[in-house]
Amino acid sequence: MSPRLTRRSALAGLAAGAGVFAAPAVLAQAKPRVVIVGGGFAGATCARSLAAMGVAVTLVEADQRYVACPFSNLVIHGTRDIAQQTFGYDALRAAGVDVVFARAERIEPEARRVLLPGADAITYDRLVLAPGIDMRFDALPGYDSAAAERMPHAWKAGAQTLLLRKQLEAMDDGGVVVMAVPANPYRCPPGPYERASLIAHYLKHHKPKSKLIVLDSKDTFSKQKLFMAAWQELYPDHLEWAPLASGGKTVEVDAREMTVVTEFSRHKAAVANVIPPQRAGAIAQASGLADRSGWCPIDPVSFESRLAPNIHVIGDAAIAGAMPKSAFAANAQAKHCALAVATMLRGEQAPSPKLINTCYSLVAPDYGISVAGVYQPAKGLLADVEGAGGTSPGGATSEFRAREAIYADAWFKVITDGVYG
Amino acid sequence: MRDCVIAVAATLAITCSFSAAAWSQTAPPAGATACSGCHGGRDSAMPSLQGKSASDIEAAMTAYRTGAREATVMDRIAKGFGDSETRAIAEWLAQNGAAR
């Protein structure tokens, strides 16, 4: 039980009878406490960084196990165990983080408290919100949570990942796999194309009469030239990409009929991987921290919400300008946010950051490509630092591609060890 | 220089009500904490920065930036930092290389 965990009724009583003890005076006497909501790459990193700085920090997370998305496409490919994607919170506890397993329901910015199920609440001096994404089950006609059990999105790693893997494995040779890819923004911009590559690789080697049709709601995507060159070279018979301009936008799905419908055609699928539009996790919507886009506007220096004071938003849920929604970006944002929070708790201004992102994608198990960026605040957003970043070179040797695949694997080990190990 | 660092540390100790464990010496300069997103483990394909001197890190970053040293991704990242930024990051990493 957290020392800050209170019954809502008790807290209400305290507030009502506060009298001479105004709330700020009470807070000023205690060591400031930061509450973090969400234990993914962003939230868990921020919790550890704050604990390392000696700040009292409580992490509220619904699940006792975290299943990481990066590299989960290899689980779908059949060459990686989901156990390698799965992490617990023991190391965070050992590092001094107060971990509370509960689903945070809503934040009350005025009262500075997080409401938990039942009558529990946790008060904070500053809060860091890292809720990740939710699927928008209201955005694509026919695609709701029940449909996702037949046509998995597998865009949150775990049971959905295993379901898609099982379906691919069970499919007859000759079956058509259909992927529906959403418009921007969504978690992991190059992710659908890595997945398409690895599914095509699996089909080529295990179901050679099958093919994958990628129905895309856009015409351009991350690392596009590199992906498309590799597809032409490696998967000419197994991967077909239909962009928006050729009617690739999915407008409806029928889970019972296993059909994906675009503006111009209907695709009957043996296996359908439907990645729907997304938004910031539910608590962001419930607490008024997301704007009409469904994502959370932030100040690019402090990552403080533009919609409520004393609350910072990091990771996939935040509108971070040019920074993509990636685990690397979440980790980098979290470390800077921890510094910003610690600085602001002292009554000082947060320092201006420079942030880095690097995203690896596997086009085949031994063929890696990357995109990198360096970012800094400009005109109220995080903008690319001119002249830096970009993708792996075109026309590189297979040795170069193999080296990037090795670096991809090394990156995952380093980052997960740093956050959860 | 050394006196200067000690002076900064002393000031921080007074103003900082909660003393930092990992980031105790100086606040990280812009960009410095992102490095541990890749550089951490000793048995990793990506080299650990622990035990590296500031001048070694600065020289490597500068060589990546100018293209004098071949890289897969560090050339693209190093171009995001100027001379003084690179030096500040190198000095901080030399002191806090293992910081998360």
Side-chain angles (χ1 to χ4, degrees):
Chain A
M1 205 68 163
S2 157
R4 277 284 174 135
L5 198 60
T6 56
R7 304 301 288 179
R8 283 183 209 176
S9 51
L11 197 87
L14 179 73
V20 290
F21 299 108
V26 173
L27 289 172
Q29 286 166 14
K31 188 175 175 182
R33 172 157 296 268
V34 176
V35 172
I36 297 179
V37 174
F41 282 99
T45 302
C46 198
R48 271 192 104 147
S49 297
L50 282 163
M53 286 187 273
V55 178
V57 54
T58 298
L59 175 69
V60 184
E61 162 58 46
D63 299 314
Q64 304 211 6
R65 296 257 152 221
Y66 179 67
V67 188
C69 274
F71 272 82
S72 67
N73 283 333
L74 278 181
V75 177
I76 292 163
H77 179 256
T79 50
R80 191 174 175 90
D81 197 297
I82 195 99
Q84 291 173 269
Q85 301 295 115
T86 308
F87 302 90
Y89 293 91
D90 290 351
L92 275 87
R93 283 204 164 125
V97 177
D98 171 32
V99 181
V100 174
F101 291 117
R103 184 171 298 280
E105 290 178 338
R106 194 158 55 81
I107 299 156
E108 293 182 332
E110 287 78 24
R112 291 197 196 178
R113 61 178 184 171
V114 184
L115 306 187
L116 305 182
D120 291 332
I122 305 178
T123 56
Y124 61 82
D125 295 291
R126 284 196 171 268
L127 182 126
V128 178
L129 182 63
I133 57 156
D134 268 1
M135 303 303 146
R136 284 193 53 187
F137 286 124
D138 61 344
L140 182 59
Y143 198 71
D144 55 16
S145 58
E149 295 305 311
R150 300 248 310 152
M151 299 175 143
H153 52 76
W155 218 242
K156 282 188 180 182
Q160 281 275 307
T161 314
L162 294 172
L163 177 60
L164 181 56
R165 170 63 199 158
K166 217 172 87 186
Q167 290 182 348
L168 284 171
E169 225 173 347
M171 183 181 75
D172 290 334
D173 189 7
V176 174
V177 183
V178 176
M179 255 182 94
V181 181
N184 292 321
Y186 58 89
R187 162 177 283 178
C188 190
Y193 310 98
E194 176 186 75
R195 178 175 292 175
S197 305
L198 292 175
I199 289 176
H201 185 272
Y202 171 73
L203 298 180
K204 182 178 171 181
H205 293 279
H206 298 278
K207 311 267 161 90
K209 290 182 219 153
S210 289
K211 76 168 175 181
L212 167 67
I213 299 171
V214 181
L215 301 172
D216 207 333
S217 294
K218 54 195 178 300
D219 289 320
T220 57
F221 59 86
S222 177
K223 303 178 229 184
Q224 183 167 10
K225 277 188 187 160
L226 295 171
F227 273 115
M228 294 190 74
W231 291 346
Q232 202 168 16
E233 179 195 339
L234 302 173
Y235 313 122
D237 303 324
H238 295 95
L239 199 165
E240 189 183 304
W241 177 64
L244 175 69
S246 333
K249 184 185 177 184
T250 300
V251 295
E252 190 183 346
V253 300
D254 185 333
R256 213 171 30 181
E257 296 294 322
M258 285 297 285
T259 303
V260 180
V261 184
T262 67
E263 277 159 343
F264 301 109
S265 53
R266 300 175 72 85
H267 298 265
K268 178 92 177 157
V271 173
N273 171 211
V274 176
I275 306 169
Q278 297 148 32
R279 62 184 161 212
I283 189 170
Q285 322 290 333
S287 309
L289 297 167
D291 67 14
R292 287 172 66 189
S293 72
W295 306 98
C296 302
I298 52 154
D299 173 81
V301 173
S302 63
F303 283 78
E304 196 168 27
S305 168
R306 291 202 188 277
L307 302 178
N310 308 309
I311 296 172
H312 304 249
V313 187
I314 53 173
D316 291 352
I319 299 173
M323 273 192 111
K325 299 185 187 305
S326 76
F328 193 113
N331 177 259
Q333 291 170 6
K335 286 180 283 194
H336 170 73
C337 184
L339 183 65
V341 166
T343 310
M344 291 167 86
L345 282 173
R346 293 199 300 265
E348 296 164 24
Q349 256 191 330
S352 190
K354 261 199 167 174
L355 295 162
I356 298 173
N357 177 60
T358 305
C359 280
Y360 289 100
S361 301
L362 296 175
V363 178
D366 60 350
Y367 186 135
I369 56 176
S370 64
V371 62
V374 183
Y375 312 90
Q376 63 189 6
K379 295 178 184 163
L381 282 171
L382 282 156
D384 282 300
V385 172
E386 294 278 331
T391 65
S392 310
T397 62
S398 58
E399 190 272 334
F400 189 98
R401 304 296 191 214
R403 232 183 330 147
E404 289 222 284
I406 290 167
Y407 284 143
D409 185 60
W411 165 77
F412 185 81
K413 287 197 183 87
V414 168
I415 199 165
T416 53
D417 187 51
V419 179
Y420 298 103
Chain B
M1 182 59 209
R2 186 167 292 271
D3 289 346
C4 174
V5 170
I6 291 167
V8 169
T11 312
L12 276 179
I14 294 160
T15 54
C16 201
S17 56
F18 31 89
S19 69
W23 295 348
S24 57
Q25 303 307 310
T26 48
T33 59
C35 307
S36 62
C38 281
H39 298 278
R42 282 211 180 77
D43 303 318
S44 175
M46 254 99 63
S48 169
L49 298 174
Q50 208 164 10
K52 295 253 193 294
S53 72
S55 56
D56 282 354
I57 296 171
E58 187 185 353
M61 285 285 282
T62 306
Y64 285 135
R65 174 151 42 98
T66 60
R69 185 167 167 178
E70 193 251 5
T72 53
V73 72
M74 276 311 299
D75 50 345
R76 292 175 257 158
I77 292 169
K79 288 190 181 89
F81 300 92
D83 284 334
S84 59
E85 289 174 318
T86 302
R87 189 170 310 121
I89 291 170
E91 281 171 4
W92 188 83
L93 287 173
Q95 288 174 18
N96 302 270
R100 288 177 193 282

